[in-house]
Amino acid sequence: MDPALSILDRALGGDTGALSFLERTASIYVYDVTNSAQPKICGAWDFLSQALTEIERYDRISSGNVGSFAKLDGHVQLLATMARRAAKRSPASDQKLVEICLANAAHYHGSTEQAGYLINLNHQLRDREMGRLAAMVFDYSHHRQFNTSHQPQIYQSPFCNPVAMESMCAVVATNAISTGPREFVSLVTEWIAPSINNLPAYAVASIICHLATEIKSKSAPDGTQEALSTKLFDPVISRILAPMFQEAVRESDAGDGRVRNQRTAAMILKALEGWSAATACSLVRVKQLCQNANINMIEVISDAMYSDSELVMDALSEFLETLLRRHAEDEVALEGLGMGVAGGFLPKKLGTLSNSLNNFEQYLTTEISERRAILAELISAVGLQRFRFMDRLSNGDTDVCRCLASIARSIVIASQTEIKSGKLEGSERGLIDLLLKSATHPSIHVCGIAFEALIPIITTKSGLATQVLPIVQGKAIIPPSLIGISSQDECDVDYHEFERFREHLLVDILLHCYTSNRSYYLESCATAVEEFCSILSSPTPQTPYQLEAALFCLGAVSIDASKRALLVSASPAAQEAALKACNLRNDESLGIENIANDSRIHDEQLARTIHALYKGPSIATSSPLSLSQMCILIGKYAKWISQTPSDGVLEYSATLALKAFDQAATACQEKMQSFDDISISPFADAATALRNILSRSPHRFTTAEALSTLEKGWKSMYNSSLDDRLKISMEDRKALCTGITRVLAVLPQDQWISSLSHLSTPTIECIEVVTKRADELKGKVDSVILIPQIIERMSEEISVLAIAIRTFNHATIKSTSDATGNGSENPVRAVLHRVWPCINHIATTYCLHENISSSLSEFLLVAVSLSETHENVHLLTKICETAVTMIDTISNSVEPKAIEPILGFVKGVIDAFGHTADAVVKISSAGCANENKDARQVRDIVEQLTCRVFRQLPSNEDLMRSGAQVEVLPAIFSICSACIQICPFLFLTLSIESDDSQNTRLFLQSVNIAISSLKDKHIDVARTAMMFIKEVVLLSIRETDTSNQLQKTVSTECRNVISHLFDEIVATLILGACGNLPREALDPAATLLHCILKSSSVVEAESMLNQAMSQDCFRLGDHPRKVAMITIGKCTHGDKSLSLLMDLFDDMWTMHQTDDNGSGAAAGGDHLRLFTQKYGDK
């Protein structure tokens, strides 16, 4: 192969060197003096010229081999991709790159005239190659022709491939836009328009389509949008695209070139959509423009709906969606104007828009009338497609069905106001019938579109709920193929996709069905549950899943339905409030008797459901899916269950939850093996249902039978051997532990110690066993395989024990305090005392494992919460000694990643005891004696922990050399923020000894590291550093009482440290807003800048801002710079809010994101003009 073609060939094969060469060729220029007599500039255009020549040569050599052109399709597409990237550069940017090339060339010693010659030569080469590409796409005589007896004119050149052709058209369009409005207008008016009848329709449509795409890019030159809107849009639509569209639709499904014609029709539709979107054109205007060319666009669109091509139907759907979206926006605007006119608010402001109010009202009436007439035509046309839809459905043509449903959705969304108001007088029935048929389609991709369209038109008056609900209930049934049941219909998605479809879209439409007809909805679901639960003799394999779907439908409306059912026993005032809310939300005028009757029906139907499940639980418990859904239902309706006056509901629900819990812990585990790919957890759902009921009716579970069932379920997960993989997940055990702990909390106090001991014993014993096993395996051969499994189990059990302690403590905190004051032993501390030796051993031996460090930190933080006051210093001392051991052990290791969790514990200690420690420092600083020994010990503990943490801080040089601190710095900066907020006196006095025994102040060190971290590309590092510095700034300007000398001293010291760094901080933040920060850090950056400038005087703020905005990083120009500075000033010392500054930072960041073309230029043209308009008007 020739050189350029060889590079393309290797790049297509994934060769990194070839790919890198193409990337650099598209981005930079090289000065070539291989021939000293004729030096030249090598780059994208030189390579494009050589590659096109080589492809043409190879094509001619292979002309006798039919189909050989296909070998170069990929080469042409890759070449076009590279050329398009270079074509995005404007001629000025291209010239600048050549100048940079010559300035950096070691062998170039030419004059200014010679440089100008080379620049001009490169520009001419660009123009020549663009003309060459234009000739290829517009003149097929450049392509090799292959003749057959059936089709005498088939072009077989590699440039004729539709994808390659579109790629080359994209290059031509991109070059026209980047060159400027004049070149753009010239391409359309001087090349395309005069020869429209002689040019290939596909090429014309492709170029026009890509022109619209490039116009929307932020690098488009100034005036491009205006040229499209004022000079080109009308003639392009009426004289080029509309006639081409009419002709393409006529021929798209006929003739030997059917596929080619369909592809052309689809590209024309894409072009229409692109130009309509670029100009925000309305449906009325498109129709009017087409009428000028004697083309009825609505009629042509109606004909296009009969196409069998997925390409055409998809493009038509997108085109209509764009126009109808704009139509809906215009409808709202016109109605608003009409209300303004009717109210007498607009006449004075109309000015030149209208000579009189009557004329303007007439304009509004005409415009709205035309829009609705067009919609009526489209509604009728789409409604007729329902017959074709059924034909396509019977033939299995899912793609056309999907496109028809999508078109119908766009029409419905645009006309929903007319449909709901009844103004269409029944003409919409065909459209709705099409949607209902689409909703029954077996593919969720089709029925999902139909549901999206039906949602906005399901109202109380429409009566659609009774038609839609049975369809939706059927769609809620899990397809048999997803659960291992043989079926003729294969589902087109996996279980997880179906689950997302059900949890989002189906829930949405179910809610609308419910709100439009509540009584019917609940009665339908309750009847279904009753029916499926009564099938006891010979249920089908599908019966449990049908029941599961019915329960799912009830659960989908649980929030509203349970509230309505609770009104049955509510006060008259509560019922009146519910009535007002209902009438306001649904625009109804119900009476109080309607609410009372409706709440009674809700209570009856929900009770009917619970009774049916209790009387026939075998169906629900026969499958893990139905069992899980039953538990979810009970959990969601737990509040109603605990308060309903209906007989037996609470008792039946509690019994069902306990049976489900027992079933999930035993028999259900074997059935779960056939659902490995399905993310369900009957055990966790049963535990959650229990927890939700017992939190409202805890005494119902204090019977011996209930406690026995709970204990059995809890111990069942500890029965497996240590080497076996646990069948019960971590989340299951957490939910179970929380539920059981809440039960124990309502037992009599004299049973707390024994009951909590019974609960914690299996967990503590498991921790002790796995710790002993880990100790035994140290240094053995098989430890590499077994230790990670044991460490994971150890970590999980520590987390479970922490949850049990925290839950029990929160539930009994008041009673525990009273009992301890009376001399009774604290049950939680008893558990803590029992497990502490093992915990301490684990902290010393295994804290280098990140999951152990995380679970231990969680456990220690729970233990700290047991001492909310500083009186119990002994416990706090033991806890913090363990934490210090962990910090020291991890710090001395080669893998310091495990330090992050323990830093979270340190922050928790500061949150809990920082105020106490700070108070001790205040007293000492004031020269007063502190007689509280416990408080002084708390101060020592907080100080020791904080100093240990700050030994993890790197020096500035370390920070610049290595990214090893990414995991540590966010946690440390969070601790710094907590210290500034809670214990600033302590924080400012702390210091640690460096290696040369010189004292180093922690506060100054942390501020310096935070400022160095502002530029960090890791979002968490930059964000937490900004938050810390903001707290320092706020403390430095905090208003102080002149009598409070200590507070004044702290503020002054903060100000002395931070104020001389403001210039550097502001410059860094502006640099970040110019594209050098992660986007997620922009809001914290804007907040910090706002805080700094607001804390400074106007003169100081202006000086800092001038210096920061003068940096080379701001590449939008002088006028946008001035506008941005004025906006920032208004936000910090004016009447504008912080949110405007956040918007400005976001827009600045976006404008500085460069196109990938090597020029490095920021946004310009129309985008820059819109930026200055947006903020110049503020």
Side-chain angles (χ1 to χ4, degrees):
M1 279 187 173
D2 293 326
L5 202 53
S6 175
I7 291 172
L8 292 171
D9 191 66
R10 287 189 288 114
L12 286 172
D15 183 82
T16 54
L19 290 169
S20 176
F21 174 83
L22 290 178
E23 183 177 353
R24 286 183 284 110
T25 300
S27 305
I28 62 174
Y29 287 107
V30 176
Y31 179 62
D32 183 9
V33 289
T34 305
N35 184 352
S36 59
Q38 291 183 331
K40 62 178 182 178
I41 298 296
C42 293
W45 313 122
D46 178 72
F47 183 83
L48 176 63
S49 175
Q50 184 177 347
L52 288 175
T53 301
E54 291 178 9
I55 291 172
E56 288 176 333
R57 183 188 305 123
Y58 185 89
D59 186 41
R60 285 194 300 271
I61 294 172
S62 307
S63 59
N65 184 10
V66 178
S68 63
F69 69 94
K71 297 179 181 178
L72 297 180
D73 284 354
H75 301 72
V76 175
Q77 293 169 35
L78 181 59
L79 179 64
T81 301
M82 186 214 73
R84 185 181 184 187
R85 181 178 168 186
K88 285 180 177 288
R89 294 194 296 264
S90 67
S93 298
D94 227 16
Q95 177 177 331
K96 186 175 180 181
L97 280 181
V98 177
E99 291 172 351
I100 294 173
C101 163
L102 295 176
N104 295 334
H107 299 286
Y108 179 72
H109 306 288
S111 63
T112 305
E113 291 76 12
Q114 289 173 322
Y117 169 76
L118 291 173
I119 291 171
N120 187 52
L121 196 65
N122 185 70
H123 182 68
Q124 291 176 5
L125 181 60
R126 173 175 180 166
D127 287 345
R128 185 171 70 245
E129 295 309 313
M130 287 301 106
R132 186 177 179 184
L133 284 178
M136 285 181 176
V137 299
F138 284 142
D139 188 356
Y140 276 25
S141 65
H142 289 82
H143 309 301
R144 178 161 52 86
Q145 184 174 323
F146 177 72
N147 297 327
T148 66
S149 57
H150 302 289
Q151 294 175 304
Q153 289 187 341
I154 297 180
Y155 295 97
Q156 295 284 4
S157 163
F159 302 106
C160 287
N161 176 276
V163 179
M165 176 68 69
E166 184 184 349
S167 300
M168 292 190 296
C169 290
V171 177
V172 174
T174 301
N175 182 72
I177 295 298
S178 64
T179 307
R182 181 178 298 177
E183 182 71 18
F184 164 44
V185 174
S186 173
L187 174 65
V188 176
T189 59
E190 297 177 17
W191 281 59
I192 296 177
S195 307
I196 185 63
N197 295 326
N198 301 319
L199 297 177
Y202 184 77
V204 171
S206 294
I207 286 182
I208 292 178
C209 177
H210 285 287
L211 285 172
T213 301
E214 292 301 322
I215 282 172
K216 291 182 283 188
S217 71
K218 61 178 181 290
S219 59
D222 191 16
T224 308
Q225 182 73 43
E226 183 182 1
L228 180 142
S229 301
T230 60
K231 296 180 180 179
L232 296 179
F233 183 78
D234 290 5
V236 165
I237 296 296
S238 61
R239 301 175 192 171
I240 299 177
L241 292 180
M244 288 172 55
F245 181 44
Q246 186 180 43
E247 184 69 19
V249 169
R250 187 181 297 121
E251 298 180 358
S252 63
D253 291 324
D256 295 330
R258 178 183 179 190
V259 175
R260 183 177 66 251
N261 294 335
Q262 290 174 343
R263 189 177 289 113
T264 301
M267 184 57 68
I268 295 170
L269 281 165
K270 289 181 180 179
L272 283 167
E273 189 275 333
W275 280 61
S276 300
T279 57
C281 179
S282 68
L283 189 58
V284 172
R285 187 181 177 195
V286 170
K287 182 181 179 182
Q288 290 172 347
L289 289 174
C290 294
Q291 281 178 338
N292 295 337
N294 296 320
I295 296 173
N296 187 332
M297 178 56 81
I298 306 303
E299 186 177 308
V300 178
I301 289 173
S302 301
D303 292 341
M305 291 181 194
Y306 287 93
S307 174
D308 291 330
S309 168
E310 180 186 358
L311 284 175
V312 174
M313 295 298 289
D314 265 331
L316 178 61
S317 174
E318 292 177 9
F319 174 51
L320 283 174
E321 185 175 356
T322 298
L323 284 181
L324 292 170
R325 188 189 309 118
R326 178 64 185 177
H327 169 88
E329 294 170 358
D330 287 349
E331 280 281 297
V332 174
L334 288 173
E335 288 180 4
L337 287 172
M339 292 173 64
V341 170
F345 299 109
L346 293 180
K348 294 180 181 180
K349 296 184 179 182
L350 291 177
T352 58
L353 292 178
S354 177
N355 294 325
S356 67
L357 177 60
N358 292 333
N359 289 341
F360 188 69
E361 287 181 312
Q362 184 178 359
Y363 160 75
L364 289 179
T365 303
T366 303
E367 180 75 6
I368 293 175
S369 176
E370 288 182 4
R371 290 172 181 276
R372 290 176 178 171
I374 293 173
L375 266 184
E377 288 185 64
L378 288 173
I379 288 171
S380 177
V382 175
L384 293 174
Q385 294 295 315
R386 64 188 185 277
F387 306 109
R388 182 162 172 263
F389 181 91
M390 296 307 296
D391 178 59
R392 295 291 90 194
L393 176 60
S394 61
N395 291 332
D397 194 344
T398 300
D399 293 327
V400 171
C401 290
R402 175 179 55 79
C403 294
L404 287 173
S406 182
I407 292 171
R409 175 184 59 188
S410 299
I411 302 293
V412 166
I413 292 174
S415 58
Q416 57 180 298
T417 302
E418 286 78 11
I419 292 176
K420 288 189 288 188
S421 65
K423 294 178 181 178
L424 296 177
E425 299 178 350
S427 61
E428 78 282 4
R429 290 173 186 166
L431 174 64
I432 293 175
D433 189 36
L434 171 61
L435 288 173
L436 292 174
K437 294 181 186 301
S438 301
T440 63
H441 196 283
S443 169
I444 69 170
H445 299 299
V446 179
C447 69
I449 294 172
F451 290 150
E452 289 176 357
L454 287 166
I455 284 171
I457 59 174
I458 296 177
T459 62
T460 304
K461 297 177 183 178
S462 69
L464 272 176
T466 56
Q467 296 176 268
V468 174
L469 181 59
I471 299 174
V472 181
Q473 288 172 328
K475 290 297 179 182
I477 301 173
I478 301 172
S481 59
L482 298 182
I483 47 179
I485 299 177
S486 59
S487 172
Q488 296 179 349
D489 299 325
E490 287 294 326
C491 187
D492 57 349
V493 296
D494 60 21
Y495 180 82
H496 300 292
E497 289 179 276
F498 175 78
E499 188 177 32
R500 286 194 296 271
F501 162 74
R502 195 167 76 155
E503 292 291 342
H504 295 89
L505 188 54
L506 284 195
V507 166
D508 198 5
I509 194 167
L510 284 169
L511 284 169
H512 281 78
C513 289
Y514 167 76
T515 53
S516 66
N517 197 334
R518 291 181 175 84
S519 300
Y520 172 78
Y521 185 101
L522 286 185
E523 184 176 0
S524 173
C525 292
T527 300
V529 172
E530 230 175 25
E531 179 184 346
F532 298 133
C533 287
S534 63
I535 304 175
L536 303 178
S537 56
S538 56
T540 66
Q542 272 283 75
T543 303
Y545 306 105
Q546 292 169 333
L547 174 61
E548 191 268 350
L551 297 174
F552 170 83
C553 292
L554 277 171
V557 299
S558 59
I559 296 176
D560 290 337
S562 58
K563 287 180 180 178
R564 183 59 62 95
L566 285 170
L567 291 174
V568 72
S569 57
S571 65
Q575 292 186 350
E576 186 69 28
L579 176 64
K580 290 180 180 179
C582 182
N583 288 338
L584 183 63
R585 188 187 309 120
N586 300 320
D587 193 22
E588 298 175 340
S589 56
L590 300 176
I592 192 68
E593 65 281 356
N594 299 104
I595 290 292
N597 183 59
D598 195 38
S599 60
R600 179 184 55 78
I601 293 174
H602 273 65
D603 186 76
E604 289 175 354
Q605 298 302 328
L606 290 176
R608 179 183 171 195
T609 301
I610 297 297
H611 284 224
L613 289 169
Y614 178 77
K615 293 177 180 177
S618 58
I619 299 298
T621 57
S622 62
S623 165
L625 286 165
S626 55
L627 178 64
S628 184
Q629 196 62 244
M630 181 184 74
C631 295
I632 292 173
L633 181 78
I634 293 173
K636 286 182 175 181
Y637 283 96
K639 185 176 181 180
W640 167 79
I641 288 171
S642 63
Q643 298 181 23
T644 177
S646 298
D647 293 336
V649 170
L650 176 59
E651 290 73 16
Y652 293 166
S653 299
T655 303
L656 285 170
L658 285 170
K659 285 184 177 179
F661 181 69
D662 184 45
Q663 185 88 1
T666 53
C668 193
Q669 291 298 322
E670 297 179 1
K671 297 179 182 179
M672 283 291 295
Q673 295 177 0
S674 60
F675 296 96
D676 288 339
D677 296 332
I678 298 179
S679 55
I680 60 169
S681 180
F683 200 78
D685 294 329
T688 301
L690 280 172
R691 180 183 60 198
N692 290 354
I693 295 179
L694 65 88
S695 63
R696 294 173 174 85
S697 304
H699 296 284
R700 175 61 185 82
F701 294 86
T702 57
T703 63
E705 181 183 359
L707 289 173
S708 175
T709 302
L710 292 174
E711 183 179 6
K712 177 182 176 183
W714 176 248
K715 289 184 176 180
S716 65
M717 67 180 180
Y718 290 98
N719 293 334
S720 60
S721 99
L722 195 60
D723 296 327
D724 291 343
R725 183 179 178 182
L726 288 175
K727 296 180 180 180
I728 302 172
S729 71
M730 180 66 173
E731 294 305 315
D732 290 349
R733 285 186 287 153
K734 285 183 177 180
L736 172 59
C737 182
T738 303
I740 295 177
T741 306
R742 290 183 181 275
V743 174
L744 302 184
V746 300
L747 292 173
Q749 290 187 19
D750 58 357
Q751 298 181 27
W752 280 357
I753 293 179
S754 60
S755 60
L756 188 58
S757 176
H758 277 89
L759 174 67
S760 59
T761 293
T763 307
I764 295 174
E765 289 177 349
C766 183
I767 294 173
E768 292 171 344
V769 169
V770 294
T771 304
K772 182 179 179 181
R773 183 73 178 276
D775 292 341
E776 293 171 351
L777 285 172
K778 279 186 177 180
K780 294 185 178 180
V781 178
D782 54 353
S783 64
V784 177
I785 300 175
L786 295 177
I787 283 290
Q789 300 175 4
I790 294 174
I791 291 296
E792 182 181 1
R793 179 70 181 268
M794 187 189 300
S795 169
E796 290 178 352
E797 297 305 329
I798 294 172
S799 294
V800 170
L801 186 60
I803 288 172
I805 293 174
R806 182 175 63 236
T807 305
F808 190 87
N809 184 60
H810 287 173
T812 62
I813 187 167
K814 185 178 184 304
S815 300
T816 302
S817 301
D818 296 339
T820 305
N822 295 329
S824 301
E825 184 180 1
N826 187 312
V828 174
R829 289 180 189 154
V831 172
L832 200 61
H833 178 74
R834 177 181 174 184
V835 78
W836 192 257
C838 189
I839 292 293
N840 206 37
H841 174 70
I842 293 171
T844 306
T845 312
Y846 300 106
C847 66
L848 293 180
H849 297 275
E850 194 171 356
N851 50 354
I852 291 293
S853 176
S854 178
S855 60
L856 280 177
S857 301
E858 179 186 6
F859 183 87
L860 293 178
L861 205 54
V862 170
V864 165
S865 69
L866 301 180
S867 304
E868 292 190 350
T869 61
H870 61 264
E871 281 78 9
N872 194 354
V873 178
H874 178 67
L875 176 60
L876 181 62
T877 303
K878 288 174 60 178
I879 295 169
C880 291
E881 284 175 353
T882 302
V884 168
T885 301
M886 292 176 64
I887 293 174
D888 291 343
T889 303
I890 297 170
S891 301
N892 296 327
S893 69
V894 294
E895 292 290 340
K897 289 185 178 180
I899 194 70
E900 184 182 3
I902 198 65
L903 295 181
F905 163 78
V906 174
K907 182 179 180 298
V909 172
I910 293 172
D911 289 339
F913 299 99
H915 290 292
T916 300
D918 209 42
V920 173
V921 177
K922 289 179 184 179
I923 294 172
S924 300
S925 299
C928 302
N930 188 355
E931 302 298 334
N932 192 326
K933 181 181 177 181
D934 289 343
R936 290 200 306 272
Q937 285 185 282
V938 168
R939 189 273 316 274
D940 293 341
I941 290 170
V942 173
E943 180 176 337
Q944 182 186 21
L945 281 174
T946 308
C947 289
R948 280 295 203 287
V949 164
F950 279 91
R951 287 177 182 169
Q952 308 304 313
L953 270 176
S955 66
N956 286 353
E957 292 77 12
D958 293 336
L959 189 64
M960 299 303 293
R961 285 198 302 265
S962 172
Q965 302 293 334
V966 171
E967 295 86 1
V968 176
L969 283 175
I972 291 181
F973 289 144
S974 296
I975 292 174
C976 292
S977 297
C979 288
I980 286 292
Q981 292 171 345
I982 298 171
C983 50
F985 293 92
L986 174 67
F987 190 42
L988 265 65
T989 59
L990 289 180
S991 62
I992 58 175
E993 291 184 354
S994 61
D995 294 337
D996 57 1
S997 300
Q998 295 295 324
N999 286 337
T1000 303
R1001 293 178 59 200
L1002 297 186
F1003 174 65
L1004 183 59
Q1005 182 185 2
S1006 60
V1007 169
N1008 290 332
I1009 296 297
I1011 292 175
S1012 300
S1013 302
L1014 291 178
K1015 303 175 184 178
D1016 203 289
K1017 296 299 183 183
H1018 295 89
I1019 173 61
D1020 289 335
V1021 175
R1023 181 178 57 81
T1024 51
M1026 291 173 191
M1027 293 170 65
F1028 167 52
I1029 295 174
K1030 186 194 77 171
E1031 293 299 332
V1032 174
V1033 175
L1034 291 175
L1035 181 60
S1036 72
I1037 62 173
R1038 186 176 298 167
E1039 294 183 3
T1040 59
D1041 184 357
T1042 54
S1043 63
N1044 190 340
Q1045 189 60 38
L1046 290 176
Q1047 180 68 52
K1048 185 176 181 180
T1049 301
V1050 169
S1051 297
T1052 302
E1053 188 167 351
C1054 279
R1055 188 159 52 249
N1056 291 338
V1057 170
I1058 197 70
S1059 59
H1060 73 278
L1061 300 171
F1062 279 175
D1063 286 338
E1064 179 184 353
I1065 297 172
V1066 171
T1068 302
L1069 296 176
I1070 295 298
L1071 175 68
C1074 294
N1076 292 282
L1077 271 177
R1079 189 165 195 164
E1080 298 83 354
L1082 291 178
D1083 283 356
T1087 303
L1088 177 56
L1089 180 67
H1090 184 270
C1091 183
I1092 290 175
L1093 295 181
K1094 204 168 184 65
S1095 68
S1096 308
S1097 67
V1098 175
V1099 175
E1100 291 173 336
E1102 185 177 354
S1103 174
M1104 286 186 285
L1105 200 54
N1106 267 321
Q1107 183 179 346
M1109 295 292 287
S1110 298
Q1111 298 177 99
D1112 293 336
C1113 64
F1114 190 90
R1115 293 177 284 120
L1116 302 182
D1118 292 337
H1119 182 54
R1121 179 184 288 108
K1122 182 179 179 181
V1123 169
M1125 290 178 61
I1126 292 173
T1127 304
I1128 294 174
K1130 289 179 179 178
C1131 293
T1132 54
H1133 290 89
D1135 58 348
K1136 301 302 179 182
S1137 66
L1138 172 60
S1139 62
L1140 179 62
L1141 181 56
M1142 291 179 176
D1143 291 342
L1144 175 69
F1145 264 40
D1146 188 68
D1147 287 337
M1148 284 173 56
W1149 188 91
T1150 302
M1151 298 286 281
H1152 280 85
Q1153 300 307 301
T1154 59
D1155 286 329
D1156 192 18
N1157 56 26
S1159 67
D1166 292 320
H1167 283 75
L1168 197 58
R1169 177 176 52 81
L1170 292 173
F1171 174 82
T1172 55
Q1173 285 180 355
K1174 176 179 179 180
Y1175 294 101
D1177 296 337
K1178 297 295 184 183

